[in-house]
């Protein structure tokens, strides 16, 4: 029967191995670091207690055989008659009688114990007979613990990136570009740029004279600033060089086509990519750089073919609280951004691709809904300096939601964390708001405004899913704010019906992919051609959920496609205007773990005048 120490050793070891495997290779959950400490505290003493029983041989039996031999038959008469016999002296107190000889034989039976190598290596129990294999299985558990500690503490302790100097391209319009730079030293930062179609033209430049005391970059902004490149030509490819104290960063970007037009450079196609959620070393391998993002290599491989204008990143650019929060001050948040921009994976996806950002919960804290209180203050400080500053202009000055127009599309980038009401279990609570009164008013006005001629699409960009089909954690999504969601949908249906503009929602957050349509209610004043579509795509480099959480519940949110698996997902949106057609086409391409997994085409509503029934006949 197994001893108590053996049982505890087995249970704690198996639980430790399983939890750390999940932590390293699947989900770096916040539960595991604390759980691993408890399991290790149980495993180590129990292992050494069980280890005391490790012996090469096992005793089967130990028998003593005593053989009694009568050697001398003695009585009083014989003693008198036998003069030749030796006189035998009895021990005091011994009885008179015949003397006996005792022959004692001990028989020991034993067997060599099996080392049970496989059991030892798989379970973490000490080997019954081999100290070597016992130490090997103990070392396996200690190595797993070391790997978990490596994930949690190596980057924060050894890669704080205080000295990092770098630059990246942010929002690029049809006439300008924003360049974010970080320079902690007194070094004059320069950005050189020129159009690629004029290689013999001299370089234009923009400079920030950080070597001069009046222009020093300070810790107030974590030594960052934005340089704006002006007077650029629309729909033109530019090459650039960013000179910092750490060296030169080179790359290219393409200015946007004018509103209402598509690119002449890119086969009359307007393309951008989107995704969300990145965390270094997921899944984990021991020899990775501690700041490596495995999923970014898939995006980098497709960029030359897709040739997108920009990346629309929908939140969770950092994971301040996963797997273990290292601090709650501004420096803790700023360090996370510096680490991303110092990653060896970053240049391949940024040298030739501008990035535009929205904020979500893990830039603050998981499922954040407490407005600008507590950790939200340092969180927004870091987000503002690193990601919001080079973004498009704020839709309303001083706020963190943005809007812009490029080519055939308009974009409204929501902030779904800063202004929302606290969550509750009633999704139809009319008092709750996701956006706050001011942002909602601005969004509705933007939706209702008829766009520039040739602008056929409006994109509502939200960090969290718009559909209510996600059943796990739906209170944190738009599924928990259905009254406000319906207000937005009605505005979108009205615009599509009256102006023939397609409305598309882009979201992330769920580490899965789902395409959902939101048709107008049957029998309503809006035709089915006014249907709103959502493409929710994530993660770019993070875990995916091991269980299915998306399910169509009714005819309000219609599932088009659900693809949950994959550690790396991103979508490419391609807009074309057929030369002899009246409708604009949107081709959505989904990429999962480096392979194109799904394609879907939608069109704008027909521009034909008449009843909604006539429009549906054309559209359908």
């Amino acid at each position: 029967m197994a001893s108590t120490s053996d049982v505890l050793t087995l249970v704690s070891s198996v639980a430790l191995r399983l939890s750390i495997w999940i932590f390293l290779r699947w989900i770096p959950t916040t539960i595991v670091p604390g759980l691993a400490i408890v399991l290790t505290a149980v495993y180590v003493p129990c292992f050494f207690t069980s280890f005391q029983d490790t012996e090469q041989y096992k005793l089967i039996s130990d028998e003593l055989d005593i053989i009694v031999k009568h050697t001398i038959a003695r009585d009083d008469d014989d003693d008198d008659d036998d003069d030749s016999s030796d006189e035998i002296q009895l021990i005091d107190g011994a009885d008179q009688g015949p003397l006996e000889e005792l022959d004692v034989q001990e028989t020991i039976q034993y067997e060599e114990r099996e080392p049970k190598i496989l059991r030892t290596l798989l379970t973490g129990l000490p080997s019954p007979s081999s100290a070597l294999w016992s130490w090997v299985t103990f070392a396996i558990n200690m190595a797993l613990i070391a790997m978990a500690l490596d994930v949690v503490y190596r980057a924060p302790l050894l890669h704080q990136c205080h000295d990092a100097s770098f630059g990246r391209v942010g929002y690029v319009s049809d006439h300008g570009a924003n360049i974010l730079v970080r320079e902690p030293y007194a070094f004059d930062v320069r950005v050189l740029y020129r159009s690629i179609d004029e290689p013999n033209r001299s370089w234009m430049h923009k400079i920030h004279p950080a070597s001069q005391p009046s222009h020093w970059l300070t810790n107030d902004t974590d030594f960052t600033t934005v340089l704006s490149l002006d007077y650029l030509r629309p729909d033109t490819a530019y090459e650039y060089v960013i000179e910092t104290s750490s060296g030169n960063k080179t790359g290219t970007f393409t200015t946007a086509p004018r509103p209402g037009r598509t690119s002449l450079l890119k086969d009359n196609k307007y393309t951008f990519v989107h995704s969300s959620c990145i965390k270094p070393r997921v899944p984990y391998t021991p020899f990775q750089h501690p700041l490596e993002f495995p999923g970014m290599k898939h995006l980098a491989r497709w960029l030359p073919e897709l040739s997108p204008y920009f990346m629309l990143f929908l939140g969770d650019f950092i994971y301040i609280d996963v797997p273990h929060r290292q601090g709650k001050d501004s420096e803790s948040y700023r360090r996370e951004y510096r680490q991303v921009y110092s990653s060896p994976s970053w240049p391949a996806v940024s040298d030739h691709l501008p990035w535009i950002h929205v904020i979500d919960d893990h830039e603050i804290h998981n499922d954040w809904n407490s407005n600008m209180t507590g950790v939200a203050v340092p969180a927004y400080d870091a987000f503002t300096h690193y990601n919001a500053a080079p973004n498009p202009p704020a839709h309303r000055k001083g706020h963190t939601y943005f809007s812009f127009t490029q080519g055939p599309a308009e974009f409204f980038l929501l902030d779904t964390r800063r202004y929302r009401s606290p969550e509750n279990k009633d999704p139809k609570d009319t008092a709750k708001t996701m956006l706050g009164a001011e942002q909602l008013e601005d969004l509705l006005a933007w939706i209702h405004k008829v766009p520039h001629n040739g602008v056929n699409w409006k994109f509502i960009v939200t960090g969290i899913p718009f559909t209510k089909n996600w059943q796990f954690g739906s209170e944190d999504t738009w599924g928990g704010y259905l009254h406000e969601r319906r207000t937005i949908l009605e505005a979108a249906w009205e615009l599509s019906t009256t102006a023939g503009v397609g409305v598309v929602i882009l979201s992330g957050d769920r580490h899965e992919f789902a395409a959902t349509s939101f048709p107008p209610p049957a029998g309503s004043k809006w035709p089915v051609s006014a249907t709103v579509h959502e493409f929710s795509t994530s993660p770019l480099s993070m875990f995916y959920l091991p269980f299915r959480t998306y399910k169509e519940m009714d005819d309000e949110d219609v599932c088009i496609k659900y693809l949950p698996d994959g550690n790396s997902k991103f979508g490419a949106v391609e807009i074309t205007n057929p030369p002899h057609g009246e409708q604009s086409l949107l081709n959505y391409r989904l990429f999962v773990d480096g392979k194109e997994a799904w394609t879907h085409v939608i069109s704008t509503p027909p521009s034909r005048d008449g009843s909604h029934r006539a429009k549906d006949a054309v559209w359908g």
Side-chain angles (χ1 to χ4, degrees):
M1 182 176 178
S3 65
T4 302
S5 64
D6 284 346
V7 173
L8 291 175
T9 301
L10 175 64
V11 172
S12 60
S13 176
V14 172
L16 181 68
R17 292 182 176 193
L18 180 61
S19 61
I20 291 184
W21 181 84
I22 293 173
F23 180 77
L24 296 177
R25 297 296 300 172
W26 207 335
I27 305 176
T29 171
T30 57
I31 299 173
V32 169
L35 177 63
I37 293 173
V38 174
L39 293 174
T40 302
V42 174
Y43 173 73
V44 172
C46 291
F47 174 88
F48 283 106
T49 301
S50 297
F51 183 69
Q52 303 302 315
D53 296 331
T54 298
E55 295 180 354
Q56 187 174 0
Y57 298 99
K58 178 181 179 181
L59 180 66
I60 303 299
S61 64
D62 186 358
E63 298 179 354
L64 286 177
D65 294 326
I66 302 176
I67 301 174
V68 180
K69 297 179 180 179
H70 295 278
T71 58
I72 301 175
R74 183 175 66 84
D75 55 38
D76 294 340
D77 295 336
D78 293 339
D79 290 342
D80 294 337
D81 296 339
D82 190 0
D83 296 335
S84 63
S85 62
D86 296 332
E87 183 177 355
I88 299 176
Q89 185 175 0
L90 298 177
I91 299 174
D92 291 342
D95 296 334
Q96 295 291 332
L99 296 179
E100 298 175 344
E101 180 181 352
L102 300 181
D103 186 4
V104 180
Q105 296 181 353
E106 183 178 13
T107 303
I108 300 176
Q109 292 184 338
Y110 62 89
E111 66 178 4
E112 187 173 3
R113 304 175 81 177
E114 295 182 6
K116 296 186 177 180
I117 298 174
L118 186 61
R119 187 206 71 170
T120 298
L121 295 179
L122 291 179
T123 64
L125 280 168
S127 169
S129 63
S130 172
L132 172 63
W133 292 113
S134 296
W135 287 118
V136 169
T137 197
F138 183 80
I140 290 174
N141 283 355
M142 294 303 103
L144 289 172
I145 294 169
M147 291 178 189
L149 292 173
D150 179 41
V151 169
V152 175
Y153 294 109
R154 184 178 173 189
L157 295 179
L158 302 182
H159 295 271
Q160 298 189 17
C161 304
H162 289 298
D163 299 332
S165 57
F166 51 78
R168 76 166 179 91
V169 182
Y171 171 64
V172 178
S173 68
D174 59 348
H175 60 272
N178 293 337
I179 309 295
L180 172 76
V181 294
R182 183 180 193 270
E183 182 52 75
Y185 298 104
F187 183 90
D188 291 341
V189 178
R190 288 204 310 166
V191 179
L192 308 177
Y193 59 100
R194 66 183 178 186
S195 59
I196 294 177
D197 60 357
E198 296 178 306
N200 296 323
R201 183 177 179 178
S202 60
W203 291 89
M204 297 176 284
H205 71 274
K206 198 70 174 284
I207 186 170
H208 182 88
S211 63
Q212 301 177 16
S214 59
H215 291 84
W216 279 346
L217 298 176
T218 68
N219 193 50
D220 291 343
T221 62
D222 203 24
F223 307 99
T224 64
T225 190
V226 173
L227 299 180
S228 297
L229 312 184
D230 302 315
Y231 307 110
L232 306 182
R233 289 183 289 142
D235 200 18
T236 302
Y238 284 82
E239 58 182 334
Y240 68 87
V241 180
I242 303 175
E243 297 179 351
T244 66
S245 61
S246 64
N248 295 346
K249 174 187 175 70
T250 62
T252 61
F253 63 82
T254 302
T255 52
R258 287 193 176 98
R261 301 184 183 181
T262 53
S263 176
L264 300 177
L265 297 176
K266 303 182 179 183
D267 300 325
N268 290 316
K269 185 186 299 181
Y270 178 81
T271 303
F272 65 91
V273 292
H274 79 107
S275 188
S276 70
C277 307
I278 55 173
K279 180 70 181 175
R281 307 175 87 184
V282 179
Y284 172 88
T285 56
F287 304 108
Q288 288 171 312
H289 189 284
L291 302 180
E292 181 180 344
F293 295 89
M296 286 187 176
K297 65 179 180 290
H298 301 307
L299 173 62
R301 186 167 63 85
W302 278 97
L303 288 180
E305 177 180 330
L306 295 173
S307 190
Y309 280 98
F310 58 87
M311 159 63 80
L312 200 54
F313 199 79
L314 309 185
D316 294 346
F317 188 71
I318 65 170
Y319 275 75
I320 187 68
D321 52 344
V322 175
H324 176 68
R325 178 183 283 275
Q326 303 292 333
K328 297 182 178 181
D329 58 344
S330 294
E331 170 55 25
S332 297
Y333 283 90
R334 292 174 173 184
R335 181 189 63 238
E336 295 285 328
Y337 287 93
R338 295 196 302 265
Q339 288 174 340
V340 176
Y341 291 127
S342 300
S343 166
S345 306
W346 176 250
V349 296
S350 65
D351 286 352
H352 306 282
L353 181 67
W355 283 54
I356 300 171
H357 292 269
V358 299
I359 194 171
D360 199 25
D361 56 338
H362 288 289
E363 281 101 340
I364 311 168
H365 184 78
N366 187 42
D367 293 347
W368 183 257
N369 61 4
S370 298
N371 308 124
M372 289 300 292
T373 62
V375 294
V377 176
Y380 271 91
D381 167 83
F383 173 77
T384 298
H385 296 317
Y386 279 102
N387 285 0
N391 255 6
H395 188 86
R396 185 183 290 268
K397 187 176 181 180
H399 291 262
T400 45
Y401 53 94
F402 312 89
S403 63
F404 64 97
T405 302
Q406 282 194 4
E410 289 186 356
F411 299 82
F412 197 105
L413 282 56
L414 299 174
D415 185 338
T416 57
R417 294 295 169 185
R418 186 172 186 170
Y419 311 100
R420 68 159 66 188
S421 304
E423 300 167 8
N424 61 38
K425 296 297 183 180
D426 182 7
K428 297 182 180 180
D429 185 354
T430 59
K432 287 198 303 183
T433 176
M434 174 72 76
L435 304 179
E438 203 166 49
Q439 185 178 194
L440 177 61
E441 179 184 350
D442 288 343
L443 173 62
L444 294 177
W446 175 85
I447 294 175
H448 287 303
K449 183 179 179 181
V450 177
H452 187 282
N453 185 39
V455 175
N456 302 307
W457 298 92
K458 289 202 175 192
F459 290 90
I460 300 173
V461 181
T462 169
I464 54 172
F466 201 72
T467 178
K468 64 177 185 293
N469 285 348
W470 262 293
Q471 303 303 303
F472 177 75
S474 62
E475 298 87 355
D476 184 59
T477 72
W478 282 95
Y481 298 78
L482 294 181
H483 175 74
E484 192 164 277
R485 189 186 85 143
R486 179 57 182 258
T487 302
I488 296 170
L489 283 174
E490 289 181 357
W493 292 330
E494 183 67 23
L495 174 74
S496 294
T497 301
T498 58
V501 175
V503 178
V504 174
I505 298 169
L506 301 177
S507 65
D509 180 66
R510 301 301 297 192
H511 298 211
E512 300 176 284
F513 169 81
T516 310
S517 66
F518 307 93
S524 67
K525 64 178 181 178
W526 305 290
V528 69
S529 57
T531 295
V532 174
H533 295 82
E534 177 187 20
F535 300 99
S536 185
T537 307
S538 65
L540 179 59
S541 187
M542 201 16 168
F543 69 87
Y544 66 91
L545 291 177
F547 47 89
R548 304 301 177 246
T549 64
Y550 178 96
K551 182 179 180 181
E552 183 178 312
M553 304 299 294
D554 51 40
D555 58 1
E556 292 182 352
D557 297 35
V558 179
C559 176
I560 301 173
K561 191 69 174 181
Y562 176 47
L563 293 172
D565 296 343
N567 291 105
S568 178
K569 306 184 191 75
F570 65 91
V573 177
E574 299 175 339
I575 297 175
T576 56
N577 295 325
H580 303 294
E582 295 182 350
Q583 294 170 268
S584 177
L585 301 180
L586 186 153
N587 181 33
Y588 189 88
R589 302 171 65 183
L590 174 69
F591 300 86
V592 179
D593 292 336
K595 298 179 180 179
E596 188 166 3
W598 183 69
T599 300
H600 187 66
V601 178
I602 59 176
S603 67
T604 55
S607 59
R608 175 180 172 179
D609 295 332
S611 66
H612 69 271
R613 182 178 178 183
K615 291 186 177 183
D616 286 347
V618 175
W619 188 79

